[in-house]
Structure formats: structure tokens, C-alpha cells
Amino acid sequence: MHATLPLLDQTDFPAIARRGLETLQVNLGYKCNQACLHCHVNASPDRKEMMTRETVDVVLGFLAAARVPRLDLTGGAPELNPHFRDLVCAARGLGVHVIDRCNLTILGEPGQEDLAQFLAAEQVEVVASLPCYLEDNVDRQRGKGVFEASIAALRRLNALGYGRAGSGLELTLVYNPQGPALPPAQDGLEADYRRHLGSRYGVEFSRLYVLTNMPIQRFGSTLISKGQFQHYMALLKNAYRPENLDGVMCRTHLSVDWRGYVYDCDFNQMLDLPLAWQGRPRAHLRDLAGRPLAGNPIVVRDHCYGCTAGQGSSCGGALAA
């Protein structure tokens, strides 16, 4: 796989700083039951990295001490971590809102037959990747049969109340482009998703997030192989909107890798660009307990233009929505 950081290192992206911490985003490991072309984590069934119980306890201690209101669990497939359910239950016991970034097909994997019921019982918000409402497009990006399995999973979640008005169970779908292009307007695409998934499959959901593909890891390497990397970077830079700077997620999120080391965002984690903290080469979550992060400079490179292009992009969808 081609390295992308050397192509991103020299940057003219504006200097920005952190605000108060609102969300702790924790990567529980890079193992996944899928290997998607757009994956910025380079996750796959062959990955071995997995957060230990000791590090899970560090996460819980930090949540309690810092009183972080949201825990955002990601991977890989975070549900494959053997401590996933214990972490969810303990965080909910602290009154923390928990988000599970779910690939949907995990709900049908052996040993996960009761996963949907568990998520509903703990009132976990499900943010589910479904990069298109058309079967051919999804299977081309994520593998044959993935769309069919995803629809089955969505119906299972709907049957438990997810995505239905008044249930209190939030189900967000996530779209990302098929190739080196900016996503369409979030509101308009959400209407298309609702119309197509509702009429054809009877599927309901709470909202749609559109995300810009980041020029890193597997997607970035594919761009390099096809000679499209510089063109895509020019697209992101030409679509830069300074008003998006105020809402970028790195201002209020903190990313934690499977070892417990911390980064300004998930993308910096994948590029191995640690949080800048007191001159240390790398800071661990246990080092930050009781330490305010507001005002800390954010580590930026050229990939940051992916979050500020057009309508903007974040783990919470378009910034301009």
C-alpha cells in the first residue's frame, strides 16, 4: 500500500486550536468482517490489533474523571472486541451517551445474533455505514452480498424501534462517494435515501450523514495507484470554505487508538500524527486525566482540507447542514 503522509506533510492549512472536550472517540481495534475500498482505517478480517481490558478500564476512568458526555466507538468493527459490551454497559452506567459505528453486516455474524437486542437495551445510538441506496454500488465498494445483508440488518434494527419516531433509538445512515468526488448535498440525498429505502425495502432511519473520502490509507493509496491523488487534493483545496473551520470535529473530539494513545482525530490516528501535548512524542489517555485540552494546538496536514471542502465533513455529517 502506498504511503500518503509524505504527500500531505507540507501544508498551508490554517492553524486551529481545541475547545472543550465533548466526545471521546475510541477505536477498539482494526479487525473487521469486511475490507472496504474506501476504508481510511485499512481494516480487514486479518487485522490483529485489539484494545485490551486494561486499556478499556483506562477509557472508563477517563470518562468518569473528565465527565465526557459522549463515547463514540469505532474500529474496524468495534463489536468484535471481546470487551465491547462491558465497555458499553459501564459507560451507560456513568450516564454517557454511547455511539456504535456499525457496518450493519456484523449483526449477522456468528456470535452476534443478539447484538441488535443488546444495543437497543442499552439505548446505544447506531451510526451505520450504507454508502449508497443502490445494491450494485454498495457491493462494488464493500463486497458482493453486503447490500442484501445490510438491508436485513436495518430491518432487524427497525423491528426493535431503531429509526422510528418516538422510540428514542437513533439510527443514522452514512454515505460516502464511490470515488474521488465531493458528496452531494446532505439534505437532498437524505430525501433520496428515504424515498428509495422506504418504498423498496420498508426501511426507516433517523437521519443521513454524508462524509468526504479522506486521501489516506486504502482510499489514498488507490488514488496514487490510479494517478488521481493530486487531482483529488486540488479538488479539496479548491472547494475549501473557511467558515467550516469553526465546526471541524477535532475541536471537540479526542481520538483514542487501540493502545490508548491519543490524537486530535481519527484521521490523524491513521496517519500516526499524535496529539501535541507538552512536548511529548506521544501522549496516552491516562496522561490526560484532569488536564484541560481547550486551547491546545491541533496537528494539521493537507488531509484536513477534506473536512473543510464544500459543505464540510465530520463524524456528524456535513458541517453546513
Side-chain angles (χ1 to χ4, degrees):
M1 189 167 66
H2 299 291
T4 55
L5 183 57
L7 301 175
L8 301 167
D9 241 349
Q10 297 299 316
T11 186
D12 56 358
F13 193 83
I16 52 176
R18 303 187 63 88
R19 294 198 290 262
L21 182 59
E22 298 176 3
T23 301
L24 189 68
Q25 187 172 67
V26 177
N27 193 308
L28 290 177
Y30 303 153
K31 185 179 179 67
C32 188
N33 60 316
Q34 298 179 176
C36 302
L37 291 176
H38 66 282
C39 182
H40 72 273
V41 180
N42 197 29
S44 78
D46 298 326
R47 299 295 294 263
K48 306 299 183 187
E49 301 91 337
M50 197 75 74
M51 184 174 283
T52 65
R53 178 69 214 203
E54 179 184 10
T55 306
V56 166
D57 288 340
V58 172
V59 169
L60 289 169
F62 183 87
L63 286 172
R67 299 183 179 180
V68 183
R70 280 187 296 277
L71 174 64
D72 188 340
L73 298 176
T74 185
E79 306 89 350
L80 291 177
N81 186 294
H83 310 297
F84 171 79
R85 299 193 188 200
D86 287 346
L87 174 56
V88 168
C89 291
R92 293 294 294 132
L94 293 171
V96 174
H97 178 79
V98 177
I99 299 168
D100 176 30
R101 295 198 176 264
C102 179
N103 67 17
L104 291 175
T105 61
I106 192 67
L107 297 178
E109 288 290 311
Q112 302 291 344
E113 293 85 357
D114 64 340
L115 176 59
Q117 290 86 346
F118 169 78
L119 296 173
E122 294 296 331
Q123 295 187 303
V124 174
E125 178 182 351
V126 174
V127 177
S129 178
L130 190 69
C132 189
Y133 52 75
L134 299 176
E135 183 171 3
D136 288 348
N137 287 348
V138 172
D139 284 1
R140 188 180 307 117
Q141 188 178 97
R142 308 185 76 188
K144 186 173 177 57
V146 168
F147 182 81
E148 183 180 356
S150 297
I151 292 298
L154 287 170
R155 286 171 169 163
R156 187 180 305 177
L157 291 168
N158 280 171
L160 293 168
Y162 271 103
R164 300 190 185 278
S167 70
L169 296 174
E170 299 293 310
L171 173 59
T172 300
L173 300 185
V174 178
Y175 163 90
N176 60 278
Q178 295 289 307
L182 293 177
Q186 183 166 282
D187 290 346
L189 189 60
E190 179 178 309
D192 292 342
Y193 264 70
R194 288 193 187 281
R195 182 168 54 251
H196 190 88
L197 294 178
S199 63
R200 195 171 184 112
Y201 304 104
V203 165
E204 298 180 66
F205 60 95
S206 306
R207 67 189 64 81
L208 176 76
Y209 290 160
V210 300
L211 305 186
T212 299
N213 286 327
M214 280 288 167
I216 64 174
Q217 291 285 46
R218 194 175 289 149
F219 180 72
S221 180
T222 300
L223 292 177
I224 294 172
S225 295
K226 294 182 176 182
Q228 298 174 328
F229 189 89
Q230 296 303 334
H231 172 78
Y232 187 62
M233 285 307 308
L235 174 69
L236 297 180
K237 289 188 174 186
N238 289 337
Y240 169 70
R241 289 172 56 179
E243 59 267 32
N244 287 330
L245 279 176
D246 186 60
V248 288
M249 64 183 182
C250 52
R251 290 191 186 272
T252 57
H253 285 54
L254 187 65
S255 174
V256 184
D257 73 10
W258 62 278
R259 301 163 298 177
Y261 292 112
V262 290
Y263 309 79
D264 287 303
C265 70
D266 193 43
F267 308 122
N268 280 8
Q269 179 185 146
M270 296 309 128
L271 290 170
D272 197 26
L273 296 171
L275 179 84
W277 181 253
Q278 297 183 345
R280 302 183 189 186
R282 193 178 297 274
H284 197 274
L285 188 63
R286 70 169 68 93
D287 301 327
L288 302 183
R291 305 290 184 90
L293 292 173
N296 203 68
I298 293 169
V299 177
V300 298
R301 296 292 188 275
D302 257 11
H303 67 289
C304 299
Y305 282 104
C307 290
T308 53
Q311 62 192 317
S313 179
S314 75
C315 288
L319 301 178

